[in-house]
């Protein structure tokens, strides 16, 4: 298998003139996050499929020897625990999911370690929860761990900590986790590998559907119908589109491809669907506010405030507030809600919820000195 490594390096460093800007950026990226779906690693009947895992490890190792740093976000913990526990299908109740994950995480980490040991490569398991991204201190700790593993030329294998996650405090799927990790480590590209070979405007398993090779803007997604995950996973095309948009906010181009095409995806980005990054990436602070920070409450706005905040990018003033929900403090991140109860923005609030109860609906001139600052400054507001 080692004989394939020089070929992969030649593809990465070879002729790229025929590729789109997004594919060229992915093919030449120095820092890459690779997410591997459950269906690529496990089956209901046999649990972990070591042959598939070895093939994926070969592709990752080839890209690393070509000069890139890689972080692997690996699904499959619950799937790997199903067969050993004698379960016939993916569990639906939380306790059984966590039990399967506790068995599967051990098997998954061992399998990755054994596979990369063929190349003398050490694997470090990193289990993350949603709270690790929502809290700045945990966020920095995770970042330092991943950076140090990479500097030591080890492979970081990241997964959600399913044994402690609840339905209320989880990422929802590892596509979103992978996009957040890409931001966390400052990756130059994100590659999502699963059982689909790219983006279609419908489900090709259910009827005719057109393949979409490039997504340069949201206009390319007009008419696309995205479905949910399969028997072993929680993702699906909807989660992959959401993850691609999230990564684009971080300035990271994305490649969506089949795990069976991993070698081509990692060596030259010549397969699958490529998603271009947004031209102007969100600042680290605004990205954190929009995608990672915990929300500590909500502020309901009138129509005028929604227009000012969401369309005109202006600061939120007390006059446009109609209701305060939850208990929060100045410096917390809160959701901004329209009159129809839809989420329109998030931001870092300047005042406690108790203070805002006395301020809501009042113009700035009616407020006492010391309470005339914006409730949320425009620099701390992010439209969602």
């Amino acid at each position: 298998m080692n004989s394939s490594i020089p070929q992969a390096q030649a593809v990465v460093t070879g002729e790229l003139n025929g590729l789109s800007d997004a594919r060229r950026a992915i093919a030449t990226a120095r820092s890459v996050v690779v997410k591997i779906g459950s269906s690529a690693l496990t089956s209901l009947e046999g649990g972990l499929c070591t042959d598939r895992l070895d093939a994926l490890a070969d592709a990752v190792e080839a890209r690393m020897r070509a000069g890139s740093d890689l972080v692997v976000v690996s699904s499959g913990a619950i799937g790997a625990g199903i067969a050993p526990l004698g379960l016939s299908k993916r569990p639906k109740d939380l306790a059984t999911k966590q039990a399967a994950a506790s068995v599967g995480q051990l098997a998954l980490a061992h399998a990755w370690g054994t596979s990369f040991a063929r190349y003398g490569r050490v694997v470090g398991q990193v289990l993350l929860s949603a709270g690790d991204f929502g809290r700045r201190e945990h966020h920095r700790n995770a970042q330092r761990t991943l950076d140090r593993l990479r500097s030591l030329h080890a492979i970081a294998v990241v997964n959600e900590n399913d044994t402690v996650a609840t339905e209320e405090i989880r990422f929802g799927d590892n596509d979103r986790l992978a996009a957040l990790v890409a931001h966390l480590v400052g990756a130059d590209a994100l590659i999502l590998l699963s059982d689909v070979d790219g983006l279609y405007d419908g489900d090709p398993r259910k009827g005719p559907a057109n393949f979409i090779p490039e997504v340069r803007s949201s206009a390319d997604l007009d008419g696309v119908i995205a479905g949910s995950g399969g028997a072993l996973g929680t993702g699906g095309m909807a989660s992959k589109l959401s993850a691609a948009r999230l990564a684009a906010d971080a300035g990271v181009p994305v490649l969506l491809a089949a795990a069976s095409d991993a070698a081509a995806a990692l060596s030259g980005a010549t397969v699958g669907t490529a998603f271009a990054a947004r031209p102007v990436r969100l600042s680290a602070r605004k990205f954190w506010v929009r995608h990672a920070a915990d929300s500590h409450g909500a502020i309901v706005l009138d129509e005028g405030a929604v227009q000012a905040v969401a369309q005109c990018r202006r600061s939120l003033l007390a006059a446009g507030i109609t209701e305060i929900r939850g208990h929060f403090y100045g410096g917390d991140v809160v959701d901004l809600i329209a009159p129809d109860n839809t989420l329109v923005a998030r931001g870092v609030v300047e005042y406690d919820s108790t203070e805002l109860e006395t301020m809501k609906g009042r113009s700035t001139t009616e407020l006492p000195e010391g309470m005339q600052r914006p409730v949320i400054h425009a620099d701390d507001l992010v439209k969602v």
Side-chain angles (χ1 to χ4, degrees), residues 9-244:
Q9 186 168 356
V11 173
V12 172
T13 57
E15 181 59 54
L16 298 172
N17 290 337
L19 299 181
S20 66
D21 289 344
R23 291 185 188 275
R24 188 179 299 110
I26 294 164
T28 60
R30 178 69 175 79
S31 174
V32 183
V33 172
V34 181
K35 182 266 179 178
I36 301 167
S38 297
S39 59
L41 296 172
T42 62
S43 68
L44 284 173
E45 299 79 16
L48 272 172
C49 303
T50 54
D51 288 347
R52 295 184 200 169
L53 189 144
D54 284 346
L56 290 161
D58 292 340
V60 170
E61 178 66 21
R63 182 63 183 258
M64 291 188 72
R65 294 197 181 190
S68 297
D69 290 328
L70 268 77
V71 172
V72 173
V73 176
S74 175
S75 297
I78 294 177
I82 289 175
L85 290 174
L87 303 173
S88 60
K89 60 182 179 180
R90 183 182 176 90
K92 294 184 178 180
D93 66 287
L94 181 60
T96 309
K97 286 180 183 178
Q98 291 175 327
S102 71
V103 173
Q105 279 174 353
L106 184 63
L108 191 63
H110 178 74
W112 280 117
T114 299
S115 191
F116 279 109
R118 296 173 300 147
Y119 299 105
R121 187 82 65 179
V122 174
V123 168
Q125 185 184 48
V126 181
L127 299 178
L128 298 174
S129 66
D132 294 324
F133 288 88
R135 302 180 183 92
R136 297 289 288 195
E137 183 179 353
H138 291 203
H139 186 276
R140 287 192 295 269
N141 286 339
Q143 183 180 51
R144 282 193 291 265
T145 299
L146 291 168
D147 286 346
R148 188 59 179 141
L149 281 170
R150 290 193 300 167
S151 72
L152 292 169
H153 307 292
I155 287 284
V157 176
V158 181
N159 198 354
E160 180 164 11
N161 195 351
D162 290 304
T163 58
V164 299
T166 66
E167 297 301 330
E168 290 76 24
I169 53 167
R170 61 180 300 116
F171 295 104
D173 56 75
N174 274 354
D175 297 312
R176 174 176 168 78
L177 170 60
L180 289 171
V181 169
H183 168 70
L184 184 72
V185 301
D188 304 313
L190 170 63
I191 299 176
L192 303 175
L193 300 175
S194 66
D195 57 354
V196 294
D197 62 352
L199 176 66
Y200 291 81
D201 60 4
D203 190 337
R205 296 168 298 184
K206 298 179 180 179
N210 297 310
F211 180 73
I212 302 173
E214 301 278 336
V215 177
R216 298 175 180 84
S217 70
S218 57
D220 292 330
L221 297 175
D222 290 346
V224 172
I225 300 173
S228 58
L232 286 167
T234 58
M237 191 53 65
S239 76
K240 290 167 179 56
L241 285 177
S242 177

Side-chain angles (χ1 to χ4, degrees), residues 234-312:
T234 58
M237 191 53 65
S239 76
K240 290 167 179 56
L241 285 177
S242 177
R245 290 178 178 136
L246 194 161
D249 275 351
V252 180
V254 179
L255 183 69
L256 170 61
S260 57
D261 293 331
L266 282 162
S267 62
T270 55
V271 294
T273 299
F275 295 79
R278 59 183 287 165
V280 180
R281 67 187 296 170
L282 285 180
S283 67
R285 179 173 174 80
K286 287 198 171 185
F287 182 92
W288 177 76
V289 170
R290 176 186 282 181
H291 296 295
D294 290 335
S295 175
H296 293 272
I299 298 174
V300 182
L301 315 182
D302 62 23
E303 289 291 355
V306 170
Q307 177 72 18
V309 167
Q311 303 301 324
C312 301

